[in-house]
Each structure stands twice: as structure tokens, then as C-alpha cells.
Amino acid sequence: MGVLARATSERGEVVLRGYDEPGHPPVLELRVNGVFVMDTRETTTEIALATRALSSVADPRRVLIGGLGLGFTAKAVLDDQRVEQADVVEIEPALVAWMRDGTAPHGPSLLADPRLKVITADIQDAVSEISEPTYDLVLLDVDNGPGYLVYDDNAAVYASPFLTAVYDALRPGGVLAVWSAERSAELLVALRNVFGNCEEQALPVDLQGRDECYLLYLAARHA
């Protein structure tokens, strides 16, 4: 199938590829600046980012998701009928367009959910505009984690000033969940400094026949 769509922004090149794999439906693969971001063959950890966070909150009515990707975290959020509104912040307009116009075939039905709002912006800017506690959950999957960045500017997403802004955007008892491709002692410390708590959870994954382990960091605002 090859390259399905390609776009360039001030951050670099975003490419959506498709390929056939025996025994599986056609696979979509997302790369940014040549770096593998995700594909549709293995989505368990994107889904776990949502489901594990949702299970940690009694009443997750409003959810903020940093990073659209190929939509699997957002779909898992919307599959929970307790959720009344999910706001997804995605920095790359081309990726939103490919999900909306069917270049990613599963995209239009996902984006048609009336509870879903897609905001094309930098998550740092979007959070800075939140003036009061608004969300019951904030899910962050905007990069591959602090130790394996696609965009250098995303380092700030894992640092105390931004994490403090997220804390302030959460309602009492609300939870922040952060996905990372690698264990990060620095992120764990930063979250504990800001929230007073943080749980590090392993997410085992079979990545094209290799046993890998991604990480999920969960921190709760005091009730």
C-alpha cells in the first residue's frame, strides 16, 4: 500500500503508511520525522492509557486527551458511557484531517461522536488557557516519553511547570495519566513533587514479535 498521506509542518514531516500483513487487517503506521509513533496492529497500550485511568476515577464525566494519534485512546474513552465530553488536543492539523476525511478509515465514525471535540493546538497552550478545575481525567500521549522525544519542545510536557498547570486543571480527585515508551525516574519524581503521589505501572506489549514494556504514570489530585 505504501504512503497514504504525507504532510510537512514547522515541526517536520508526518507520514501515514499502509501495508498488508498476512492474517491481519490492513495496517496503518504513523511516523513523525522518520520516527515510528504507532500503528494499528498493536494498540493495547494506547487503550490501556484510557481504561486504567478511567478505572481510577469514580465519575469521569469530562476528559482531556493530549495527542490524537490514530484515535485508539479517544475511542476507549468514548466507550465508557460515564464520559459526557472528551476534548482531544492534537498539534498536527494534517493528522486531524486524515482522521476526518477517511484517509484513516476508522476516523470519520470516531470523530462523529457528539461527545468528542478535537482542538488543533499545542497541549501546553491548551492547558495554559484553562482557568479553573475542569477535567476529571487528563491523558497525555503527545510524544514517546521524556527519554525518547520526537519533538524537543515536548520536553516541557514532562516538567514540573506544565504538570502543575495540569494539576490545577483537574477537579479534586481527578487523575493525570502519562504514557511513556521508557521508564523515567525524573518523570516519577516530578509527578510526586507536584501531586504528592504517583503510581508507575508496566504495560507489557508484543511489538512485532519482541517483548517490550511501556510505562504508565498515574497521579491524582487530592480530593
Side-chain angles (χ1 to χ4, degrees):
M1 296 169 63
V3 174
L4 301 177
R6 186 193 307 270
T8 302
S9 72
E10 61 268 29
R11 289 164 298 279
E13 184 182 61
V14 184
V15 176
L16 187 65
R17 297 179 63 248
Y19 61 91
D20 294 317
E21 185 170 297
H24 295 276
V27 176
L28 297 179
E29 179 186 273
L30 179 63
R31 286 182 175 265
V32 177
N33 291 334
V35 179
F36 174 85
V37 175
M38 70 167 298
D39 63 23
T40 57
R41 184 178 184 272
E42 171 50 67
T43 61
T44 58
T45 65
E46 287 87 0
I47 294 169
L49 170 61
T51 56
R52 292 197 185 189
L54 286 161
S55 69
S56 68
V57 177
D59 189 21
R61 288 175 292 155
R62 190 166 181 185
V63 181
L64 176 64
I65 305 168
L68 174 61
L70 293 175
F72 288 91
T73 298
K75 183 180 185 304
V77 167
L78 294 169
D79 283 344
D80 191 320
Q81 295 306 306
R82 297 174 299 167
V83 175
E84 298 173 359
Q85 182 175 340
D87 298 333
V88 178
V89 179
E90 171 57 49
I91 198 170
E92 294 294 348
L95 185 53
V96 177
W98 298 337
M99 290 288 287
R100 197 178 300 281
D101 68 13
T103 303
H106 61 282
S109 60
L110 172 67
L111 269 58
D113 191 307
R115 294 174 295 157
L116 182 67
K117 179 182 179 182
V118 179
I119 303 161
T120 305
D122 187 316
I123 187 65
Q124 297 176 67
D125 295 335
V127 169
S128 72
E129 295 174 358
I130 301 170
S131 59
E132 61 185 9
T134 301
Y135 292 99
D136 304 296
L137 276 180
V138 175
L139 312 180
L140 295 180
D141 185 11
V142 300
D143 210 310
N144 284 327
Y148 187 37
L149 294 172
V150 175
Y151 299 141
D152 289 343
D153 287 352
N154 282 338
V157 171
Y158 306 100
S160 293
F162 177 74
L163 297 175
T164 300
V166 173
Y167 180 96
D168 292 339
L170 285 165
R171 292 170 176 158
V175 167
L176 165 64
V178 184
W179 185 98
S180 178
E182 298 178 337
R183 178 169 278 108
S184 173
E186 294 82 2
L187 177 59
L188 183 63
V189 168
L191 285 165
R192 286 177 173 167
N193 285 341
V194 171
F195 283 80
N197 66 90
C198 182
E199 180 184 358
E200 181 185 72
Q201 296 185 3
L203 300 173
V205 60
D206 179 351
L207 193 62
Q208 298 179 348
R210 304 190 314 273
D211 290 332
E212 300 285 351
C213 186
Y214 295 149
L215 280 301
L216 183 64
Y217 293 88
L218 294 165
R221 175 169 178 166
H222 301 300

